[in-house]
Amino acid sequence: MHDTATKPPLTIRLCQPRGFCAGVDRAIQIVVLALKKYGAPVYVRHEIVHNRYVVEGLQNLGAVFIEELNEIPDEHHDAPVVFSAHGVPKSVPADAQARNLFYLDATCPLVSKVHKQAMRHRRHGRHVLLIGHAGHPEVIGTMGQLDEGGVTLIETEADVQNFQPADPEALGFVTQTTLSVEDTAGILRALQERFPALQAPAAESICYATTNRQEAVKETAPGADLYLVVGAPNSSNSRRLVEVAERAGAKMSLLVQRASEIPWSGVGDIATLGLSAGASAPEIIVDEIINAFRERFDVTVELAVTATETEDFPVMRALRDVELTPADMAFVNGTR
């Protein structure tokens, strides 16, 4: 350990808001409360949120992660199964009912809102264009709300040029909630130019938390020698934050899951570090990363507050009789 005199100074610009959004917080609470109320095992279909640390923390509490419902053994058919925050196709709850499973749907209310907007377009006779990333569970879930052939995925501006609708006058769009605001704007402009009759959803699809986290990174990136985003490689909103930081002027931007992934030899001589966390990244890891820098630098943390989030999504009625304590969530939130 160096003494403070020999440690180089480092300013950490810490984004606020960062980390868990209300939908992620609610989804994790649902698994924790289900374990408290019903005991282990509680099955979870797909990663509840895209974060390995969160998943392992819940496994330690007795959650069992599966990809499909047929993985639940017969003797556990009365155990609850939780659907992930990303949402599921309509076929999944139907399958759960056919198997007589008790399920708790932890789909983020803002994702559910996109599902409703997409279904509304269909009710009005429109073909739905979903702007998003192929294979992402949220995209699979949204496409799975609609009839076969009722929706087309648009990933790029090239897709816009190649799309040939049956009726260009009857089109509506929705977007994945975790996209880059700027990338989506480009695709949307291209769509509106080609299809002037394109109908927007009744409300913005990119969620408040995605937008807020991108804005905070945009504000704090200029002049940062290094920008770290805490998040998982399969987390769409976290990967977008890395791109936003680079575009907004950070010299180097990296996605890290834990402090152990920081490439110290490649960090070099830095004076300003930008730090944020994706919507599924726990605060306890942000603390871990700040502490790792404190060991090597004389750190000053500057909190960069760009928005105040007051959203709070309550859990479903079936779990509201169980008390949730700070200790129950300490594995992700730390003990502050």
Side-chain angles (χ1 to χ4, degrees), residues 80 98 103 152 176 186 218 222-223 246 272 284 287 299 306 326:
Y103 68 85
T152 300
Q176 188 180 329
K218 229 179 270 183
E246 277 179 0
T272 306
I284 201 165
D287 293 342
V299 167
T306 52

Side-chain angles (χ1 to χ4, degrees), residues 138-191:
E138 187 190 318
V139 164
I140 294 166
T142 300
M143 293 180 84
Q145 304 305 309
L146 304 169
D147 50 301
E148 193 73 42
V151 57
T152 300
L153 180 65
I154 302 285
E155 290 192 88
T156 60
E157 292 185 37
D159 290 349
V160 175
Q161 302 314 320
N162 297 333
F163 173 61
Q164 298 299 334
D167 180 1
E169 298 299 306
L171 297 173
F173 79 89
V174 291
T175 77
Q176 188 180 329
T177 60
T178 53
L179 298 179
S180 148
V181 178
E182 284 168 18
D183 290 347
T184 311
I187 293 172
L188 202 49
R189 266 196 306 275
L191 275 172

Side-chain angles (χ1 to χ4, degrees), residues 2-328:
H2 307 295
D3 67 44
T4 316
T6 62
K7 285 189 195 172
L10 177 70
T11 300
I12 297 182
R13 295 178 187 161
L14 181 61
C15 286
Q16 172 93 349
R18 64 177 178 278
F20 284 174
C21 58
V24 162
D25 211 20
R26 173 180 179 269
I28 296 167
Q29 287 176 17
I30 286 169
V31 181
V32 170
L33 290 170
L35 284 160
K36 278 184 94 166
K37 180 165 180 172
Y38 305 107
V42 167
Y43 286 89
V44 185
R45 185 188 175 280
H46 189 72
E47 287 192 348
I48 185 74
V49 298
H50 282 158
N51 189 279
R52 197 71 235 143
Y53 181 92
V54 172
V55 167
E56 286 167 5
L58 291 169
Q59 281 172 328
N60 293 339
L61 296 174
V64 178
F65 287 83
I66 55 172
E67 282 305 310
E68 297 302 339
L69 299 180
N70 61 11
E71 295 169 49
I72 299 175
D74 287 342
E75 64 271 21
H76 287 164
H77 262 208
D78 52 351
V81 56
V82 179
F83 301 153
S84 84
H86 311 99
V88 291
K90 274 189 172 160
S91 56
V92 173
D95 184 25
Q97 278 166 336
R99 295 171 186 275
N100 279 330
L101 297 172
F102 166 51
Y103 68 85
L104 296 162
D105 187 352
T107 300
C108 170
L110 298 177
V111 173
S112 301
K113 198 168 85 178
V114 174
H115 291 176
K116 292 188 184 94
Q117 306 278 4
M119 292 188 283
R120 184 172 167 271
H121 282 317
R122 288 304 284 153
R123 272 202 313 279
H124 287 282
R126 298 171 197 143
H127 182 84
V128 177
L129 300 177
L130 169 60
I131 303 172
H133 297 294
H136 189 280
E138 187 190 318
V139 164
I140 294 166
T142 300
M143 293 180 84
Q145 304 305 309
L146 304 169
D147 50 301
E148 193 73 42
V151 57
T152 300
L153 180 65
I154 302 285
E155 290 192 88
T156 60
E157 292 185 37
D159 290 349
V160 175
Q161 302 314 320
N162 297 333
F163 173 61
Q164 298 299 334
D167 180 1
E169 298 299 306
L171 297 173
F173 79 89
V174 291
T175 77
Q176 188 180 329
T177 60
T178 53
L179 298 179
S180 148
V181 178
E182 284 168 18
D183 290 347
T184 311
I187 293 172
L188 202 49
R189 266 196 306 275
L191 275 172
Q192 285 161 336
E193 273 169 29
R194 262 202 83 190
F195 308 113
L198 178 72
Q199 294 290 315
E204 171 62 75
S205 302
I206 296 179
C207 84
Y208 78 92
T210 300
T211 307
N212 286 352
R213 276 153 196 65
Q214 288 179 21
E215 283 301 320
V217 167
K218 229 179 270 183
E219 296 254 324
T220 49
D225 300 308
L226 173 64
Y227 213 104
L228 291 184
V229 174
V230 185
N234 60 341
S235 159
S236 168
N237 81 84
S238 304
R239 298 223 323 252
R240 301 296 81 74
L241 291 178
V242 176
E243 296 163 5
V244 168
E246 277 179 0
R247 269 190 216 155
K251 287 186 193 144
M252 180 164 74
S253 180
L254 297 172
L255 184 67
V256 290
Q257 299 189 76
R258 301 291 303 267
S260 56
E261 291 185 6
I262 300 169
W264 295 108
S265 55
V267 164
D269 198 10
I270 59 171
T272 306
L273 172 78
L275 182 59
S276 185
S280 40
E283 186 60 15
I284 201 165
I285 305 215
V286 175
D287 293 342
E288 173 187 283
I289 285 172
I290 292 173
N291 289 335
F293 277 93
R294 283 194 198 281
E295 282 175 17
R296 294 162 174 85
F297 293 89
D298 180 15
V299 167
T300 308
V301 176
E302 285 180 1
L303 194 60
V305 183
T306 52
T308 306
E309 293 180 347
T310 53
E311 285 76 8
D312 179 34
F313 300 144
V315 300
M316 63 277 296
R317 205 160 273 123
L319 298 176
R320 284 184 205 163
D321 57 343
V322 193
E323 190 198 0
L324 186 76
T325 67
D328 293 326

